Amino acid sequence: MLIDLRIRNYALIEQLQLQPSALLNIITGETGAGKSIMLGAIGLLLGNRADSRMLFDTEKKCVIEGQFDISSYQLQDIFEAEDLDYDTQCILRREISPGGKSRAFVNDTPVTLETLRHIGANLMDIHSQHDTLLLGDAVFQLNLLDLYAGLVPTRSQYSSAYRQYRKLDAELRELESRVAQANKELDYHSFLLSELEDARLDNENQEEVEQEVKELEHAEEIKFKLTHALQSLSESEYCAASSMKEASTLLGQIASYSEQAKELKQRLDSCLIELHDIADEIEAAERRTEGDPARIDELQGRLNVLYSLQRKHQVRDVVALLAVRDDLRDKVGSVLNLDKQIGRLRRDADAALATATKQAARLSEARRKSFPKFEKELAALLADLGMPHSRIVVQHQEGPLAASGLDVISILFTANKGAQPQTLSKAASGGEFSRLMLCIKYMLADKTALPTIVFDEIDTGISGEIAVKVGRMMQQMAKKHQLIAISHLPQMAAAGDAHYFVYKEDRADRTVSRIRPLNLDERIQEIAQMISGANPSPHAFQSARELLALRGAEMAG
């Protein structure tokens, strides 16, 4: 239930506050005074698109805030699903900055517009001319019928099963597409993998192979240079070893006289030992070095294989080739496993389809059983509102499995005796549409958990005694739901538990829209003016008092 509504800096509204009754609230006022503007502000509070051009003062932000008592409505799960703290007092707030930026809050917690819409949809139900147009839509009609028949839980269960089927079916189609593409590439990937497998790359050291080839190709030069190096160190008459031995002997002869000479001899002896080791290694290397054309051809062939594979796969070394090989192994292996996955997924999708189809059939049967009662009850209400010859027929046919089930329905209507019912778009006038929607809302009032229902001129196209009956119907609805109705009919104005008047105030700089509650005398004045104009006659005042007295008697009864 809406406890408090505050609107600041929106369109013609500089600042407005409304604290509606828990029952039926009627809002009246002259055309253009701001009734629809107020409804637009409520729409923003429930998540409609914002436009900074609607700001009263373009230098200030617009704020719309609604406080709701939700203690009687089981909304804890919805708040938990949106990750919001639950409280029996809920405050929705919408802010629009001069730059056009919009922010939304639930209980002072910033939320997305989608979250605001989800929460708001469970707090208020706004009926407008747009809803009347929606009444001609088949999906909208089916939703109404499900709500009337109490089939929302059954439909939710079916929807869950249908979504599961569609999810599995989409996964199956995607996997089948992958398999088709993978099969096209399988032969090529298998060929590339075979090449890499045949190359036996696991223990390959490309740098060592390249080094060995280099040594074998220059074996003659290496052997020649090693031989001459060995002669220079230890085998020629004036080799380095002989010269160093002689120097060591000379230093030894004076070592007893000079500590420096002694240290230098020791260092030179160490060099001689290292020199002999080097000479031995050169000699061994020289003996090992031999040209081997066959070995060169073998190693060069191996390198050619590696270079060719690296060019083909656009990589630089054996490590990268191994990564390519492992990736190809995964691709080839996954294709072989995909058929098994497809089989499992197809079985799961078929089972999900069978479950969804079974639940859809059960939902369809329950729907068909509810149609006669819906047709009879709606026709009776329409007759009470001045359309005694109305006929309602729910036309039904079975279609393919869809999000709403197997049923394709259309509500057919005629207001004329002997005429064939037709689709609403062809058969109903604007006033008839409004009465149809009001009757449907009345029928659904006991079946929906919406705390507050807002009617925007649902009384279009009616007058006289029918308007009185519409007022009674709305009074009956207001016993279980808070109602706010924007109306231009005196009969409706008199039916309200509370009456608010919207008016324009002309200031020096601009026009502003305001709203105020009316006391009994002010209500009589306003209703009399609605009956006969700005200067009501005594008869109009008497009629206004009678309408209000009629309401009092009905409420007492």
Side-chain angles (χ1 to χ4, degrees), residues 141-397:
Q141 292 176 8
L142 189 58
N143 291 339
L144 290 177
L145 287 164
D146 283 346
L147 190 60
Y148 171 80
L151 293 175
V152 172
T154 305
R155 178 164 171 173
S156 296
Q157 187 179 16
Y158 162 73
S159 296
S160 177
Y162 180 73
R163 285 194 301 271
Q164 177 65 8
Y165 159 65
R166 289 300 302 270
K167 175 178 175 290
L168 291 171
D169 186 60
E171 291 176 2
L172 177 61
R173 293 175 185 275
E174 194 274 335
L175 190 57
E176 287 174 338
S177 176
R178 281 174 52 198
V179 168
Q181 184 62 32
N183 283 329
K184 292 179 182 178
E185 301 171 346
L186 180 60
D187 289 343
Y188 179 58
H189 287 160
S190 297
F191 169 73
L192 294 178
L193 178 60
S194 178
E195 276 189 326
L196 291 169
E197 298 279 19
D198 291 343
R200 302 183 307 278
L201 301 171
D202 289 296
N203 298 313
E204 189 67 81
N205 190 320
Q206 184 174 332
E207 291 182 358
E208 290 182 359
V209 175
E210 290 172 337
Q211 183 60 36
E212 186 177 353
V213 168
K214 190 183 298 183
E215 290 178 1
L216 287 170
E217 287 178 339
H218 297 85
E220 185 175 343
E221 180 183 357
I222 292 171
K223 192 174 185 68
F224 176 78
K225 296 295 173 71
L226 288 174
T227 299
H228 279 272
L230 184 60
Q231 288 176 350
S232 298
L233 289 177
S234 62
E235 293 184 352
S236 66
E237 182 178 357
Y238 301 106
C239 66
S242 296
S243 299
M244 290 176 70
K245 284 179 182 178
E246 182 179 353
S248 178
T249 300
L250 292 172
L251 289 172
Q253 291 173 354
I254 61 173
S256 58
Y257 311 128
S258 169
E259 283 296 321
Q260 185 179 12
K262 183 178 179 180
E263 290 176 5
L264 291 171
K265 180 182 185 307
Q266 290 172 346
R267 291 171 62 188
L268 190 57
D269 288 343
S270 296
C271 289
L272 269 169
I273 294 171
E274 180 67 16
L275 183 64
H276 286 307
D277 286 343
I278 292 172
D280 289 342
E281 289 189 25
I282 290 174
E283 185 178 7
E286 188 273 336
R287 284 197 299 269
R288 287 195 308 270
T289 302
E290 296 292 344
D292 189 345
R295 177 64 176 165
I296 291 176
D297 290 343
E298 177 189 347
L299 295 175
Q300 196 63 61
R302 180 63 177 160
L303 287 175
N304 289 338
V305 170
L306 296 179
Y307 295 154
S308 175
L309 290 172
Q310 287 164 9
R311 284 194 300 271
K312 176 178 286 189
H313 296 285
Q314 299 181 358
V315 296
R316 296 184 176 182
D317 52 38
V318 173
V319 172
L321 281 177
L322 288 169
V324 171
R325 183 200 64 186
D326 292 343
D327 181 57
L328 287 169
R329 280 177 178 173
D330 291 340
K331 288 179 178 177
V332 172
S334 66
V335 173
L336 302 178
N337 291 326
L338 283 177
D339 287 336
K340 294 181 180 178
Q341 294 181 40
I342 285 178
R344 288 195 299 270
L345 196 53
R346 184 173 287 119
R347 287 191 295 273
D348 291 345
D350 289 344
L353 175 59
T355 299
T357 302
K358 183 177 179 180
Q359 293 188 9
R362 186 163 62 245
L363 176 62
S364 181
E365 181 182 4
R367 282 169 171 166
R368 291 194 300 272
K369 287 180 179 178
S370 74
F371 294 163
K373 183 182 177 184
F374 176 85
E375 295 166 350
K376 184 177 179 180
E377 186 175 345
L378 183 53
L381 288 171
L382 288 169
D384 197 41
L385 293 187
M387 294 190 285
H389 303 300
S390 297
R391 281 184 62 205
I392 297 290
V393 176
V394 179
Q395 186 181 65
H396 168 267
Q397 62 184 27

Side-chain angles (χ1 to χ4, degrees), residues 4 12 45 60 64 180 249 260 269 276 279 311 389 430 433 511 546:
D4 186 55
L12 294 179
L45 189 64
K60 299 178 181 178
I64 301 125
T249 300
Q260 185 179 12
D269 288 343
H276 286 307
R311 284 194 300 271
H389 303 300
F433 251 125
T511 299
E546 289 175 357

